[in-house]
Amino acid sequence: IYTLSLHDALPISAGQAALVALQLLALLVVADRIAGGVVAFQLAMNFYFLPIAVGATPVALSLVPRLARMTGPGQARQFRETYLRGLAFAAFLIVPAATAAAVLARPLAAAIAYGRFGTNGSVELVQAALTGLAVGIIGETLFMVATYACYARHDTTHPLRGMLIQTAVCAAGIGISLQAHGAALLTGLGLSLAAGTLCGAAYLLRHLRRELPGRTHSPWPAVARAAAASVVMAAAAWETAHLINGAVPAAGGHLVAMLAATVVGAGLYLGIQAALRA
């Protein structure tokens, strides 16, 4: 069942991948309107795709074989339960990553700056792009999990429609962003991609909610726990990075600050989740 599901989805997946590539190309072309914009946006995109590759993709792929075995008569409720638990687990991993990307955009941009791109102006460009992209990490994760849930049901039409919605919203955002200048342009481009992913994800989530009967397990308590723990985590991580940057002003201080902030933030987040018996 798993092999058949993926085989049916391959042509549509190729179309979706083409639309994703088209969005990225358009974003980079517009980012080139300012000096250093392409490099800054590409650096920010690395931190956009990292949590998706580490957190969202494994969760989505691991769901497919299980969900594909739950498409028979009378199994819709079980399918819904498994799918929603997958969403909850993805939120456990992705919400703190998105929060950290938004709150720690400045120290993170300073830590990865290098060579002639290490000036304050260049760091500001990376920060602006990362700030705009941060919420898109959540949108892309929701879209990915919902897409693979649709694939498990042999449904390739709705994921393609969702991607078309995402592309259209992103294109509209890019058009609006053209009115901005400097670092604000990169923030607008990041928000354009983020808005597209959120709209595409909302379409797929709504479709699956209408298709799957009843209310069993809800992912929202898990999302609320992740959000609350992420706020505390981000505050502690930002304070840690700020203190170390002030104490170690050398070039390597930014990297040390981010490593320390990562350790403190991750430890605090996991500690809060453990205390809440997540």
Side-chain angles (χ1 to χ4, degrees), residues 12 62 123 175 194 240 254 263:
I12 302 299
S62 66
V123 170
T240 300
H254 296 305
V263 172

Side-chain angles (χ1 to χ4, degrees), residues 194-268:
T197 61
L198 289 171
C199 290
Y203 169 78
L204 285 183
L205 292 175
R206 180 175 178 271
H207 163 68
L208 287 170
R209 181 168 59 86
R210 296 176 63 181
E211 289 291 313
L212 301 174
R215 288 189 177 184
T216 51
H217 173 77
S218 173
W220 298 118
V223 173
R225 284 196 302 267
S230 295
V231 170
V232 178
M233 171 210 72
W238 186 90
E239 187 63 28
T240 300
H242 180 71
L243 289 175
I244 294 181
N245 274 329
V248 188
H254 296 305
L255 182 58
V256 174
M258 277 310 305
L259 291 174
T262 300
V263 172
V264 171
L268 187 58

Side-chain angles (χ1 to χ4, degrees), residues 174-196:
I174 291 175
I176 296 173
S177 299
L178 289 173
Q179 309 302 317
H181 303 280
L185 172 63
L186 298 188
T187 301
L189 294 178
L191 289 173
S192 299
L193 181 60

